[in-house]
Amino acid sequence: MSTLEGRVEALEANLGQKIADYDEALDTIWMLLAASLVFFMHSGFSMLETGCVRHKNTQNILAKNLIVVTVGFLCWYIIGYPLAFGAPTASEPTRFAGANNFAMDGFWDAPSSFRNWLFQGAFCATGATIVSGSMAERTQLKGFITYTTLMTSFIYPIVIWWGWSGNGIFNYTDDNGVSTSMTGTPLMDFAGSGLVHLVGGIGALCGAIIVGPRFGRWEADKEAEFEGHSIPLCVLGTFFLWFGWYGFNPGSTLSMHTAEAANLAGLVAVNTTLAPCVAGLLVFFLRAKVCPPRLLDVGGFCNGILAGLVSITAGCGFVKSWEALIIGFIGGFVYQGASMLLRKLKVDDVVDAFPVHGACGVWGLLALGFFGNPDETGGNGAFYGGDQISIQIFAVFMIVMWVTPLSIAIMLPLRLLGALRHSDEFQEAGADLMEHSPPKAYSQQTASPSKETAM
C-alpha cells in the first residue's frame, strides 16, 4: 500500500511540474509574441514620421528612428532595466528607483526575466521615438543621441519603477500585504497612457519648444512648403502602429496560462479596436466640417486614430467596451484641441507628438478616475463610487514635474552650446544632402544642389 501511495505522490509531483512548465512556456510564447508586435511598432513610427517630413530629410528621420532602437536597447540593458525593475535586495526597497540586475546580472537565477526585459525594453524605446518626431527636420544628431541616451537610461526607467515595479510611489505593497500608493489608492495604468506615452509626450513638447520652429515655419507665404511629403507613408505607418498596439495593450496582461488572463486579453483587444475608431472618425469630421480649412484631412484622421489608442491604453483592461467608446470620443476632442493650441502658440511639433501622446496620455490616466466598475472590470471610477481620481491626478503631476525639468536641463545647454539645432542654411538644404550618403532618399527625387552650393 505504501508503495502505491508513493507512486501516486510521484505522479502528482510529476504532473504538477509538467503543468508549471507548460504555464511557463505558454507565458513566454505570449510575451515574445507581444514583444515582437511592440518592436514592430517602430516600423510604424518610422513610416509615419517619414511621411510627415519633407523628402529632403527622409534619411535623417529614419536614422533617428534606428538610433532610438539601437541606443535605447543598449541603455536599457546596462542601466535602464535595473532602475525600472531591478529586484530589491533590501528589506525596505527605495520608492524612487530600482538598484539591481545591472547588465542582466542575476537573470539566470530567474530566467523569466529575459522575456520581461525584451517586452519592457520595446516600451522604453517607444518613449524616445515619440520625441524624435516632434523635433524633426532641424535637430542635430549628436544632440538627439544625447537626449535619447538619458531618456532611456534614467528619465523613463524611474517613472516605470514608480508605477509598474510594485515598489514605487504609485503602487507598492504595505506591511499588511495590501496594494497602496502615496495617496492611498494604487495607480491604474494598464499599458502606459501615462507611464509611457505621457513621458514621451512631455519630452516631445520640451524638445519642440527648446529647439525652436523650423526655419520659415510660421511665415504665412511658406505654409505649404512644410507639408509632409507622403500621405501614403503616414497611413501605412498608422496601420502598422495600430497593429503593433495589439502587442502593446493585450501583451500587458504579462501572462496567458489561465482563462482569466485570456479573457482579459480579449477585452483589452476589443477596447483597443473601438476607441481609435471613434476618435479617428471624430477628428476627420471636425477637420472636414468645423475646423478651418474645412477639408478632408487624412493626416488628421491618422492622428485621431493614434489619439484614441493612447487614450484607451491606460484603461483598456479596466473598462467595458461602451466606456472605451466614450474615452476614445473624448480623446478625439482632446487631441484636436491640443493640436490647435500648439499652432496658436506657434510651437512646431512636426508630427503632433504632444497632442497625441502627451495630451491624450493625460486624458487616458484621468479617464480611469471616472470610468471602470469595481465589481465587473476591476476599475475604481467615480461614476461607480470609486476614489481612483486622486492617484491618477498625482501621477500626472509627478510625471510632468519629473520629465519637464530634466528634459530642459538636457536640451537647453545643448541648444546654447550649438549642439541641438541646425543652422538655417543647413535646414534649407536638407539633412539628407548635408550629412547623408547617398544625398537623397528616392532614386526619382529631383536632383538637389551640391553641398558646396548649399553652404
Side-chain angles (χ1 to χ4, degrees):
M1 190 67 178
S2 59
T3 302
L4 180 60
E5 290 177 350
R7 289 180 177 178
V8 170
E9 290 176 358
L11 287 172
E12 289 178 344
N14 185 48
L15 179 61
Q17 183 61 49
K18 287 186 179 296
I19 291 174
D21 291 345
Y22 177 83
D23 290 348
E24 181 71 9
L26 193 58
D27 289 346
T28 299
I29 292 170
W30 171 246
M31 291 300 297
L32 292 180
L33 173 61
S36 299
L37 288 172
V38 177
F39 189 92
F40 184 73
M41 291 175 74
H42 290 284
S43 65
F45 278 117
S46 298
M47 297 180 76
L48 178 65
E49 292 177 15
T50 298
C52 288
V53 303
R54 292 166 289 181
H55 63 76
K56 63 184 179 181
N57 294 303
T58 298
Q59 292 183 88
N60 190 256
I61 195 62
L62 289 172
K64 287 172 180 172
N65 275 268
L66 290 168
I67 284 169
V68 164
V69 175
T70 52
V71 171
F73 267 108
L74 290 175
C75 293
W76 186 246
Y77 168 73
I78 296 168
I79 191 172
Y81 182 90
L83 294 180
F85 291 101
T89 55
S91 58
E92 288 293 334
T94 173
R95 301 289 176 225
F96 178 72
N100 204 1
N101 304 129
F102 292 95
M104 292 187 177
D105 180 51
F107 269 34
W108 288 107
D109 297 327
S112 62
S113 299
F114 288 107
R115 66 176 185 241
N116 188 55
W117 181 92
L118 181 64
F119 181 69
Q120 298 295 345
F123 274 54
C124 178
T126 297
T129 302
I130 293 167
V131 181
S132 67
S134 71
M135 302 172 66
E137 298 202 292
R138 75 275 201 197
T139 303
Q140 294 186 37
L141 203 58
K142 56 179 174 286
F144 178 73
I145 292 174
T146 300
Y147 184 76
T148 296
T149 300
L150 293 171
M151 166 66 91
T152 54
S153 296
F154 186 65
I155 298 175
Y156 174 87
I158 297 298
V159 176
I160 295 304
W161 176 267
W162 291 351
W164 282 343
S165 69
N167 295 291
I169 59 175
F170 297 154
N171 191 344
Y172 62 90
T173 303
D174 63 17
D175 295 336
N176 297 318
V178 177
S179 293
T180 186
S181 70
M182 288 186 67
T183 66
T185 305
L187 177 70
M188 288 186 175
D189 189 357
F190 191 84
S193 287
L195 300 178
V196 179
H197 293 280
L198 180 55
V199 171
I202 295 298
L205 179 62
C206 292
I209 293 173
I210 294 171
V211 76
R214 289 166 287 178
F215 176 64
R217 174 65 180 94
W218 301 117
E219 296 179 18
D221 59 340
K222 292 186 177 181
E223 182 76 17
E225 295 181 16
F226 291 90
E227 294 176 354
H229 82 279
S230 178
I231 292 298
L233 283 178
C234 291
V235 173
L236 288 173
T238 299
F239 274 119
F240 279 24
L241 285 168
W242 196 347
F243 179 71
W245 234 288
Y246 291 112
F248 204 98
N249 286 3
S252 292
T253 59
L254 303 180
S255 67
M256 188 49 72
H257 66 268
T258 66
E260 181 182 5
N263 292 333
L264 177 59
L267 171 66
V268 171
V270 168
N271 289 341
T272 302
T273 303
L274 294 176
C277 289
V278 69
L281 287 169
L282 174 64
V283 173
F284 194 50
F285 171 80
L286 289 175
R287 295 198 173 185
K289 300 297 183 181
V290 180
C291 304
R294 298 183 181 88
L295 295 171
L296 300 178
D297 187 344
V298 175
F301 202 162
C302 290
N303 275 340
I305 289 170
L306 298 178
L309 287 164
V310 173
S311 297
I312 198 58
T313 293
C316 55
F318 302 116
V319 300
K320 291 185 175 181
S321 296
W322 65 266
E323 293 174 303
L325 288 170
I326 296 174
I327 291 172
F329 185 75
I330 297 175
F333 280 109
V334 170
Y335 161 72
Q336 182 61 34
S339 179
M340 294 172 67
L341 179 61
L342 287 193
R343 290 184 63 87
K344 183 73 173 178
L345 297 175
K346 294 189 176 352
V347 175
D348 187 13
D349 184 342
V350 178
V351 299
D352 263 357
F354 174 75
V356 169
H357 301 278
C360 291
V362 170
W363 163 238
L365 277 183
L366 297 183
L368 278 174
F370 304 99
F371 298 98
N373 189 330
D375 297 326
E376 297 182 21
T377 57
N380 189 30
F383 295 152
Y384 302 93
D387 59 352
Q388 190 65 33
I389 190 64
S390 60
I391 181 59
Q392 304 299 114
I393 293 174
F394 178 67
V396 170
F397 174 78
M398 288 298 297
I399 291 170
V400 171
M401 293 306 295
W402 173 252
V403 179
T404 302
L406 287 175
S407 296
I408 294 173
I410 297 166
M411 293 183 185
L412 188 56
L414 288 171
R415 175 68 193 273
L416 296 175
L417 292 170
L420 189 65
R421 181 181 173 88
H422 283 306
S423 67
D424 294 345
E425 294 77 18
F426 191 105
Q427 293 181 51
E428 282 286 274
D432 286 4
L433 170 66
M434 298 299 290
E435 59 182 0
H436 287 271
S437 177
K440 58 183 183 179
Y442 303 103
S443 61
Q444 301 302 316
Q445 184 176 320
T446 303
S448 302
S450 67
K451 185 184 299 186
E452 290 74 17
T453 301
M455 295 177 65

